């Protein structure tokens, strides 16, 4: 008997929050989203901690907490240093692997942390953390040419060209993605389709101070606010256009990987660790930038040299210099820049911070606990900057993660003022708490609650508000919709309550399967997929 399947379209809006929806609903720009909410189900989608794009999307597409996939942020700790993660670091099978081996084709567009792309039955266009437009970011490989033909200005990551404002860049990137996604969805029909837009997140990071009167650096600028409203209207219009690309038997999910809100400032964690005797540098931090400057190394010079000469090795070694380049010479060293690590006295260092967490530098279990407890109590006693309540929560890794890959996890993850202060790992700042970056650059940070809306023939109607939905629930729920047994090692649960009473996914029992492992089995599956006659369905 042929297996009945429901075609599903998932639209990912990075960082989207219902707060923005509520704020601008009265402007009439959210017609499509409102319709889907009213005729479907919706609710907050609880993300993971660390509440970042990476790992959150990987947690979505595996249905697992970061401890089972080994990814905790965009940079990964290497013995004494760090590098940018790639899809190869995700130590788990993904929903498309399970769908493919059950005979379903998958069209995957711009999902973060999917570079390098993997062979799938269908197509895959890699998303955020694709190095650059020259990278082979598609499967099949020749799809890239097609994309660049459809949209020569297609962008794989956030970049602002000289002639552009930030909103220009965001709008152009969004238009290009919509154009390419529309083309792919129309031409390469798949059983499961997913598209992600990061532009919502970028907009929030850079425009929040224009739309939130409570922002400490609020700027009353109607023109900028209108630009935000126009953009959000485009997002809603796109959702409607995508809906119309499919027939009425398509179910649709709209989701985000986290929410967004005010960013007040940064806590310079490595400066603090240095000052409190946890992190030891071989030279005084001022000496580092001076030393580098003396031999002619500044971020900007390295950036321009490496771009000009196309020194692949150099750019590989220093990806953050490229991606976070700010055109100014300053005395602060970005910690993530590989060179900073050369100045750490690892013998004397007890702890250091990278990305969103603190790593303890000892192999001795007793010392580990002692250092960790000391940091916990020292952080608790931190004096907040004037006028701020820090409300610090510091998680130990075992509070947040479970699985086989806890070794690479940050040992401590401090959250300040519900994300209002972010960790900054740069060193040589004037103060532990600084506000200059927020003033001149990103002025929003993430929040734990993202959005989830489901709508379609199998979905319960009536605009029921869901409670307690986790980003980890979506992978098992999607597999269940396709009647694919849910792997036992997924952390999420099937959201049966979203389905209509008489629908098949509601009536059908949830089936489970033993977890698929990496290695030989995976190789075999990949081979099988390569041999599949993709053309039949596409
Ligand atoms: Zn995100």
């Amino acid at each position: 008997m042929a297996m009945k399947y429901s075609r599903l379209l998932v639209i990912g809006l990075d960082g989207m929050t219902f707060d923005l929806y509520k704020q601008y609903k009265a402007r009439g720009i959210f017609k499509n989203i409102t319709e889907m909410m009213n005729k479907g189900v919706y609710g907050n989608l609880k993300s993971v901690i660390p509440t970042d794009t990476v790992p959150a999307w990987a947690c979505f597409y595996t249905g697992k907490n970061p401890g089972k996939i080994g990814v905790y942020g965009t940079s990964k700790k290497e013995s004494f240093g760090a590098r940018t993660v790639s899809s190869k670091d995700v130590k788990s099978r993904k929903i498309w692997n399970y769908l493919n081996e059950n005979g379903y084709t998958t069209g995957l567009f711009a999902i973060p942390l999917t570079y390098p792309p993997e062979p799938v039955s269908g197509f895959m266009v890699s998303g955020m953390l694709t190095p650059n437009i020259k990278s082979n970011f598609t499967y099949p490989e020749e799809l890239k040419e097609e994309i660049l033909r459809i949209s020569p200005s297609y962008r794989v990551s956030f970049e602002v060209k000289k002639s552009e404002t930030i909103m220009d860049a965001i709008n152009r990137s969004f238009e290009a993605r919509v154009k390419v996604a529309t083309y792919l969805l129309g031409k390469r029909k798949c059983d499961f389709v997913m598209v992600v837009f990061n532009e919502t997140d970028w907009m929030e990071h850079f425009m929040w101070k224009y739309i939130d009167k409570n922002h400490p650096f609020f700027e009353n600028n109607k023109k900028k606010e209108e630009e935000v409203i126009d953009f959000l209207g485009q997002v809603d219009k796109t959702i409607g256009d995508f809906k119309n690309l499919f027939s009425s038997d398509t179910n649709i999910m709209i989701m985000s990987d986290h929410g967004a809100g005010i960013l007040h400032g940064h806590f310079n964690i490595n400066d603090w660790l240095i000052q409190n005797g946890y992190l030891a540098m071989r030279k005084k931090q001022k000496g580092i930038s001076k030393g580098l400057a003396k031999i002619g190394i500044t971020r900007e010079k390295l950036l321009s040299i490496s771009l000009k000469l196309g020194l692949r090795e150099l750019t590989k070694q220093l990806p953050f210099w490229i991606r976070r380049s700010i055109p100014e010479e300053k005395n602060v060293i970005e910690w993530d820049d590989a060179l900073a690590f050369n100045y750490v006295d690892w013998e004397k260092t007890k702890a250091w911070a990278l990305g969103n967490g603190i790593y303890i530098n000892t192999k001795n279990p007793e010392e580990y606990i002692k250092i960790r407890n000391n940091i916990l109590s020292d952080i608790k006693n931190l004096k907040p900057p004037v006028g701020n309540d820090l409300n610090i929560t510091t998680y130990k890794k075992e509070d947040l993660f479970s699985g086989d890959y806890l070794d690479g996890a940050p040992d401590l993850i401090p959250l300040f003022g519900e994300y209002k202060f972010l960790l900054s790992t740069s060193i040589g700042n004037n103060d532990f708490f600084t506000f200059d970056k927020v003033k001149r650059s990103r002025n929003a940070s993430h929040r734990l609650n993202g959005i989830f809306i489901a709508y379609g023939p199998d979905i319960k109607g009536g605009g029921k508000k869901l409670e307690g939905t986790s980003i980890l629930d979506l992978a098992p729920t999607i597999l269940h919709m396709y009647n694919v047994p849910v792997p036992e090692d997924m952390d999420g649960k099937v959201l049966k309550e979203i389905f209509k009473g008489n629908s098949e996914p509601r009536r059908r029992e949830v089936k489970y399967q033993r977890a698929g492992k990496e290695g030989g089995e995976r190789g075999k599956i990949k081979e099988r997929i390569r041999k599949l006659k993709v053309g039949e369905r596409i």
Side-chain angles (χ1 to χ4, degrees), residues 14-15 53 57 201 257-258 446:
D14 201 300
T53 304
W57 286 105
D201 176 77
D257 54 335
H258 50 72
H446 299 162

Side-chain angles (χ1 to χ4, degrees), residues 11 15-16 34 79 90 120 160-161 176 233 247 249 293 313 330 344 349 406 446 452 505 517 529 536:
I11 301 172
M16 187 60 185
T34 303
S79 58
V90 180
V120 287
V160 184
K161 301 209 164 104
S247 60
D249 60 3
E313 285 314 306
K330 53 182 178 147
V344 175
T349 288
L406 258 60
H446 299 162
F452 177 64
K517 285 282 175 202
I529 290 167
E536 281 177 10

Side-chain angles (χ1 to χ4, degrees), residues 245-347:
L245 279 177
F246 294 86
S247 60
S248 59
D249 60 3
T250 302
N251 294 295
I252 300 176
M253 286 181 183
I254 299 170
M255 62 167 291
S256 63
D257 54 335
H258 50 72
I262 292 172
L263 175 61
H264 279 219
H266 290 88
F267 176 61
N268 297 304
I269 179 88
N270 278 324
D271 280 338
W272 182 83
L273 288 169
I274 290 170
Q275 204 74 21
N276 285 274
Y278 294 107
L279 171 55
M281 305 301 281
R282 280 197 274 125
K283 291 180 184 178
K284 283 217 163 82
Q285 62 251 43
K286 276 221 168 105
I288 297 171
S289 44
K290 268 192 197 143
L292 293 177
K294 217 186 246 171
I295 55 168
I297 298 178
T298 64
R299 291 162 73 84
E300 293 67 35
K301 277 179 193 152
L302 260 180
L303 177 68
S304 75
I305 291 168
S306 58
L307 286 181
K308 256 184 225 152
L309 301 181
L311 295 177
R312 282 188 58 205
E313 285 314 306
L314 186 57
T315 50
K316 238 193 247 167
Q317 202 186 341
L318 302 167
F320 286 94
W321 290 49
I322 312 298
R323 290 195 295 113
R324 292 191 187 170
S325 73
I326 304 162
E328 65 182 343
E329 315 239 352
K330 53 182 178 147
N331 204 31
V332 175
I333 298 282
E334 291 300 328
W335 178 255
D336 297 328
D337 301 349
L339 284 176
F341 291 111
N342 295 338
Y343 290 86
V344 175
D345 188 336
W346 291 107
E347 299 270 294

Side-chain angles (χ1 to χ4, degrees), residues 397-528:
K397 63 176 170 186
E398 64 270 25
D399 297 338
L400 297 171
F401 314 124
S402 64
D404 291 340
Y405 300 100
L406 258 60
D407 268 1
D411 297 292
L412 290 170
I413 297 185
L415 292 187
F416 290 81
E418 276 106 30
Y419 307 88
K420 286 188 183 116
F421 284 84
L422 285 183
L423 293 190
S424 167
T425 51
S426 65
I427 52 177
N429 300 280
N430 295 328
D431 219 328
F432 293 148
F433 289 96
T434 45
F435 302 89
D436 53 320
K437 264 197 222 165
V438 177
K439 277 182 197 157
R440 66 156 198 265
S441 182
R442 293 177 173 235
N443 46 70
S445 49
H446 299 162
R447 295 293 183 276
L448 194 60
N449 281 332
I451 66 162
F452 177 64
I453 303 166
Y455 161 91
D458 291 328
I459 307 296
K460 197 185 268 180
K464 183 180 181 282
K465 190 166 183 213
L466 304 165
E467 300 289 343
T469 313
S470 157
I471 195 168
L472 305 179
D473 296 334
L474 299 189
T477 302
I478 291 168
L479 291 182
H480 175 71
M481 285 176 87
Y482 287 83
N483 201 10
V484 173
V486 176
E488 280 167 343
D489 63 344
M490 283 190 174
D491 291 315
K493 60 182 188 302
V494 174
L495 299 168
K496 266 204 145 183
E497 67 271 26
I498 72 169
F499 299 111
K500 240 181 221 164
N502 58 352
S503 67
E504 209 187 302
R506 179 64 178 247
R507 282 185 281 120
R508 203 194 302 129
E509 283 288 302
V510 177
K511 291 184 215 117
Y512 292 93
Q513 61 174 306
R514 283 188 54 202
K517 285 282 175 202
E518 293 286 297
E521 192 58 27
R522 191 174 153 74
K524 265 183 240 160
I525 290 160
K526 276 191 177 173
E527 194 48 43
R528 245 180 68 194

